Amino acid sequence: MMITMSDRRGGVWCYEPYRLPIQTYDMLARDPVKDQFELVNLKNGEVLQLRADTPAEASDWVKDIMRTANYCYDVMCEALTSGIQVSKVKSVISQEAREKILQGGKPSVLGRRF
């Protein structure tokens, strides 16, 4: 996932990277509070606070991000368990650690090594 900043230049919208891309399986979104939610990068512990136009839109963003992140996590675990080399990835953050982080805990080094 890539987070960008937008700016209107000469009547045209331009988008520039705000942060380096985050591997989707290394990302979580915490439940929104009103129109704000947090995006957590599990690899480095960075937490980005994001705002949507409405609380409903924030909720939709969190649902979509989590559905995608969980799908990518499952695919990565399945590939690693099957012995498929996935770039240089040898482990992913464990499901238990992911749940703890969603509850507001700090990212930890609890990983599933394959």
Side-chain angles (χ1 to χ4, degrees):
M1 178 174 190
M2 181 178 288
I3 299 171
T4 61
M5 296 185 315
S6 61
D7 187 19
R8 196 170 193 125
R9 297 182 191 151
V12 177
W13 282 103
C14 298
Y15 299 90
E16 295 179 7
Y18 176 69
R19 293 279 195 266
L20 291 175
I22 303 169
Q23 295 296 334
T24 311
Y25 58 86
D26 282 335
M27 177 177 58
L28 294 174
R30 291 193 181 128
D31 284 335
V33 175
K34 297 183 182 180
D35 61 347
Q36 298 179 12
F37 64 97
E38 294 181 335
L39 190 63
V40 182
N41 182 337
L42 299 174
K43 282 292 186 202
N44 64 17
E46 180 179 36
V47 177
L48 297 172
Q49 294 182 336
L50 303 172
R51 173 177 262 155
D53 289 335
T54 65
E57 186 177 309
S59 182
D60 288 344
W61 271 103
V62 168
K63 287 176 192 170
D64 289 343
I65 290 169
M66 287 304 297
R67 182 174 31 247
T68 302
N70 288 331
Y71 172 77
C72 291
Y73 176 81
D74 291 342
V75 168
M76 182 63 76
C77 286
E78 187 176 314
L80 293 171
T81 301
S82 300
I84 297 171
Q85 184 173 350
V86 184
S87 186
K88 296 179 182 179
V89 177
K90 294 182 177 137
S91 66
V92 293
I93 304 298
S94 71
Q95 190 61 40
E96 297 80 21
R98 293 166 65 89
E99 291 297 324
K100 181 180 175 186
I101 293 163
L102 277 178
Q103 304 294 321
K106 299 268 186 213
S108 66
V109 293
L110 297 174
R112 287 182 61 185
R113 292 197 70 70
F114 295 93

